[in-house]
């Protein structure tokens, strides 16, 4: 089974060398007495040439057979510029079949005919596709580079428990019944949050971990039930100093893994992100900003806008340049349905063609309003205009979703660009379903020092020392400076509705630790899967995870989850209520 080279590494400098290769048959082409075979291993594909009359065994070869070959490297006559090994080929002198294969249920190539569930059911075949192997290898290099950077900066890799105590951290937890403690449960860690803070109390000063985390939540393209974080925490650093360390980590990944320039990371406030881009994870690879048109309609007679403004609402406009003719009634209805999903009552769609504003709502607008729209928004011939209205944050979010959909539909996104930003100045709290205070991040996030005095009087105006790192519209990392004063931590718990008894029951061990000299500290957690997805331009997080769950939270490969047998349930003191 010995090989002398990996298939994808052979080049012109190997000409006239005798090589022994192994791999899978990707394709066999029969030209009479001469056969051409594409042999694939993890490193790539190389073309083999074999005389059928001399080696009739090639007649048996089918796609995905595992073979070993020996032959001479020679220059290829019809070179393939799309193949790394396209200048050479191997003139075979020996062919051995190592293992045979059935016909596969999917095409094993970068472009496959298989639906996602078929790919996941036969994931071991899907992983043979070069594009999938490149994604996973890039992910591995990202991890290695992040480890190396953190190690060099004095961070220590420490493992924390996966089985832990149930604590409220924002998402539904997975509970694990205890066999030896009937009726009691562990929780699978949503993150190492409490443990990494206790490592800071323990004097470790700088910690990191490639941590497996678990959240029982509804899935989407950038979310999984079990996922990986690069978890980082440090003591005795300012917020800005810590963020500079994270920029060093990201810069090394871009430079040493992707061969890209080190990014310049801008700072964008939470308010500006929502107000201008309609998202707290804005994609800035295209323009098309949200425009505030409240002043234009301050005295409007158009009842829809008038009612919104009377209730302190907001009007947000988006201009789609030079595409008015494509915005048909059917297209308008599609975008109206989109903003309705985000809570808006509807969408006003107008067109600017040959110096006139047209559309079903145009007849309700005053001439001055039309002139102001043209001037303020810089409308040009054949522009389309979309106006949404309602409560500020809801309107921003809905129009932000429309902005992204328009960019996708009209191919406005620069797919080769990597745009990073820090999102800062988050509100500390938001209102829950019953108008109660809810922590926007988690209850261990520190408020800005200048806002502490507002906690008792105007808590909704308090800003947090929190920060998200955003790449191309994805939140790839999120963190904050932590509360390290025990009285401030108790106040935080109290504000979000925890009684002293609840605090002691759920966080007693954590609160107790604060009494023994807690250092100022802060941290961040990278969503490694999401980071790898963005860097490899993958469409879903599932493309950078070896064995992911599908959108129905099931593993098509193993068919997990599955029922437990009665003896297992008895051991765990459980009974299924059917």
């Amino acid at each position: 089974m010995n090989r002398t080279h990996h298939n994808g590494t052979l080049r012109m400098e190997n000409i006239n060398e005798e090589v022994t290769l192994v791999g899978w048959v990707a394709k066999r082409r029969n030209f009479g007495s001469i056969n051409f075979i594409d042999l694939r291993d993890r490193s790539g594909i190389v073309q083999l040439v074999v005389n059928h009359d001399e080696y009739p065994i090639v007649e048996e070869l089918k796609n995905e057979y595992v073979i070993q070959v020996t032959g001479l490297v020679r220059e290829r006559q019809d070179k393939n510029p799309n193949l790394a090994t396209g200048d050479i080929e191997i003139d075979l002198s020996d062919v051995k079949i190592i293992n045979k294969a059935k016909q596969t249920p999917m095409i094993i190539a970068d472009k496959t005919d298989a639906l996602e569930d078929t790919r996941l059911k036969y994931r071991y075949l899907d992983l043979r596709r070069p594009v999938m192997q490149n994604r996973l290898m890039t992910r591995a290099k990202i991890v290695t580079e992040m480890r190396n950077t953190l190690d060099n900066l004095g961070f220590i890799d420490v493992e924390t428990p996966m089985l832990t105590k149930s604590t409220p951290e924002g998402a539904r937890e997975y509970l694990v019944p205890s066999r030896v403690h009937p009726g009691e449960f562990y929780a699978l860690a949503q993150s190492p949050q409490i443990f990494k803070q206790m490592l800071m109390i323990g004097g470790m000063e700088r910690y990191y971990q490639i941590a497996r985390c678990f959240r029982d939540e509804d899935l989407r393209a950038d979310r999984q039930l079990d996922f990986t974080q690069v978890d980082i925490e440090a003591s005795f650093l300012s917020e800005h100093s810590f963020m500079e360390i994270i920029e060093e980590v990201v810069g090394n990944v871009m430079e040493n893994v992707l061969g890209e320039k080190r990014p310049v990371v801008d700072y964008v406030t939470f308010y500006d992100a929502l107000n201008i881009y309609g998202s707290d994870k804005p994609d800035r690879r295209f323009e098309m900003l949200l425009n505030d048109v409240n002043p234009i309609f301050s005295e409007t007679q158009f009842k829809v806008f008038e009612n919104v403004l009377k209730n302190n609402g907001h009007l947000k406009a988006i201009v789609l340049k030079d595409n008015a003719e494509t915005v048909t009634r059917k297209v308008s209805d599609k975008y109206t349905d989109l903003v309705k999903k985000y809570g808006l009552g509807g969408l006003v769609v107008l067109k600017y063609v040959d110096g006139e504003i047209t559309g079903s709502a145009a007849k309700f607008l005053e001439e001055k309003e039309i002139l102001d729209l043209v001037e303020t928004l810089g409308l040009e011939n054949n522009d389309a205009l979309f106006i949404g209205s309602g409560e500020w944050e809801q309107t921003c979010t809905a129009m932000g979703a429309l902005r992204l959909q328009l960019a996708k539909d009209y191919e406005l996104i620069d797919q080769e660009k990597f745009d990073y930003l820090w999102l800062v100045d988050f509100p500390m709290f938001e209102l829950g379903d019953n108008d109660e205070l809810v922590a926007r991040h988690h209850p261990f996030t520190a408020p800005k020092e200048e806002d502490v005095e507002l906690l008792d009087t105007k808590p909704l105006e308090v800003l947090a020392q929190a920060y998200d790192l955003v790449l191309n519209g994805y939140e790839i990392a999120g963190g904050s400076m932590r509360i390290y004063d025990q009285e401030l931590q108790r106040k935080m718990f109290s504000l979000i509705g925890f009684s002293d008894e609840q605090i002691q029951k759920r966080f007693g061990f954590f609160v107790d630790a604060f009494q023994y000299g807690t250092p100022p500290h802060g941290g961040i957690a990278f969503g490694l899967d999401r980071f790898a997805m963005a860097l490899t331009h993958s469409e879903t997080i599932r493309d950078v995870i070896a064995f992911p769950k599908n959108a129905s939270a099931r593993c098509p490969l193993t068919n997990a989850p599955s029922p437990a047998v009665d003896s297992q349930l008895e051991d765990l003191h459980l009974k299924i209520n059917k």
Side-chain angles (χ1 to χ4, degrees), residues 396-515:
C396 290
T397 301
M399 296 303 285
L402 174 60
R403 173 181 179 267
L404 279 178
Q405 192 60 53
L406 287 168
K408 291 173 184 175
D409 291 349
Y410 289 90
E411 299 181 351
L412 305 177
I413 301 172
D414 182 352
Q415 299 291 350
E416 299 305 312
K417 185 176 182 180
F418 293 104
D419 178 67
Y420 286 89
L421 63 91
W422 282 113
L423 198 71
V424 295
D425 291 352
F426 284 90
M428 188 80 174
F429 304 100
E430 60 187 346
L431 292 179
D433 294 335
N434 299 314
D435 288 339
E436 76 281 11
L437 286 180
V438 177
R440 267 205 186 250
H441 277 67
H442 52 61
F444 317 115
T445 299
K448 288 188 178 290
E449 291 182 11
E450 60 270 25
D451 289 351
V452 170
E453 61 185 26
L454 297 175
L455 285 171
D456 291 322
T457 57
K458 299 177 180 178
L460 289 174
E461 295 182 17
V462 176
L463 297 181
Q465 292 187 59
Y467 35 80
D468 285 353
L469 186 60
V470 177
L471 169 60
N472 293 354
Y474 293 104
E475 178 201 326
I476 60 166
S480 67
M481 303 310 288
R482 319 302 188 190
I483 297 171
Y484 59 92
D485 175 83
Q486 55 184 308
E487 292 308 316
L488 183 56
Q489 185 64 74
R490 283 188 178 278
K491 180 183 285 288
M492 180 65 179
F493 283 141
S494 176
L495 284 169
I496 59 176
F498 283 19
S499 67
D500 288 344
E501 183 181 354
Q502 288 173 319
I503 294 169
Q504 193 59 38
K505 185 176 180 180
R506 305 195 77 166
F507 297 104
F509 67 98
F510 186 54
V511 174
D512 290 346
F514 273 57
Q515 301 176 61

Side-chain angles (χ1 to χ4, degrees), residues 175-185 562-578:
L175 295 178
V176 181
S178 170
R179 178 182 59 81
V180 296
H181 299 288
E184 297 184 324
F185 296 81
S562 56
V565 299
D566 289 344
S567 60
Q568 290 175 307
L569 295 174
E570 288 173 9
D571 285 345
L572 296 171
H573 320 285
L574 295 176
K575 182 180 290 186
I576 302 299
N577 184 354
K578 296 182 180 180

Side-chain angles (χ1 to χ4, degrees), residues 297-332:
F297 296 102
S298 60
E299 298 178 4
T300 187
Q301 300 300 306
F302 181 28
K303 289 298 182 185
V304 174
F305 291 171
E306 184 183 18
N307 290 337
V308 167
L309 294 175
K310 279 183 178 178
N311 290 294
N312 297 317
H314 285 257
L315 310 177
K316 288 288 184 181
I318 293 176
V319 179
L320 175 65
K321 303 298 293 182
D322 197 27
N323 270 291
E325 80 282 356
T326 67
V327 183
T328 62
R329 176 62 181 271
K330 183 177 180 181
V331 171
S332 296

Side-chain angles (χ1 to χ4, degrees), residues 183-195:
E184 297 184 324
F185 296 81
Y186 300 101
L188 292 179
Q190 292 188 42
S191 78
Q193 182 63 49
I194 288 178
F195 289 106

Side-chain angles (χ1 to χ4, degrees), residues 155-171:
F155 286 79
I156 301 168
D157 185 357
V158 183
E159 289 186 353
T160 57
M162 288 188 184
L163 291 173
T164 184
K165 183 178 177 65
S166 176
T167 58
E169 291 183 46

